[in-house]
Amino acid sequence: MALMLIKAFFIGGIICVIGQLLIDITKLTPARILVSFVCIGLLLGAVGIYPKLVEFAGAGATLPLTDFGNALAEGVRESVKKDGFIGIFTAPFTAMSGGVTVAVLAGLITALVTKPKDK
């Protein structure tokens, strides 16, 4: 149990450090960095590397944004097995609909509760 916590902390920390370094060193906007993390997770999931990372680190790999891309890749893989070629186009909508719904609802609640300010 303790070893899994250490591995999760280490891998999750590395992913966060990479994100922070990208913010500090590059001129990339946070939105582009987040999209890059999703795309990297998608690519690593498509070639089978990210599932091995999840098996090794548990929550350290499933909580960061890179797992969103991995989940998309896994959804497409399963949908193609089930529905054939058309699964490539339908899987992203079905595989991640719950996560997208939660994100939209959280944004709506935040917008209703907070008061926007000009920068």
Side-chain angles (χ1 to χ4, degrees):
M1 177 70 173
L3 182 60
M4 181 53 89
L5 291 174
I6 292 169
K7 290 192 283 188
F9 181 79
F10 183 72
I11 296 299
I14 287 175
I15 294 170
C16 291
V17 165
I18 291 169
Q20 188 64 48
L21 287 173
L22 288 171
I23 290 171
D24 292 344
I25 295 173
T26 69
K27 293 185 187 254
L28 292 172
T29 63
R32 288 186 180 183
I33 293 169
L34 294 175
V35 169
S36 299
F37 273 27
V38 172
C39 292
I40 290 168
L42 177 67
L43 292 173
L44 291 176
V47 297
I49 295 172
Y50 207 85
K52 292 176 183 172
L53 186 64
V54 168
E55 185 179 320
F56 174 76
T62 58
L63 292 179
L65 196 55
T66 48
D67 189 55
F68 188 81
N70 176 51
L72 283 170
E74 185 62 32
V76 169
R77 186 178 297 116
E78 290 176 12
S79 186
V80 167
K81 286 180 186 175
K82 179 182 168 196
D83 301 326
F85 183 75
I86 195 72
I88 295 172
F89 304 105
T90 60
F93 299 109
T94 57
M96 298 312 300
S97 60
V100 171
T101 302
V102 169
V104 169
L105 289 176
L108 175 65
I109 291 169
T110 302
L112 293 173
V113 173
T114 61
K115 184 177 180 183
K117 299 177 187 174
D118 289 335
K119 288 189 174 190

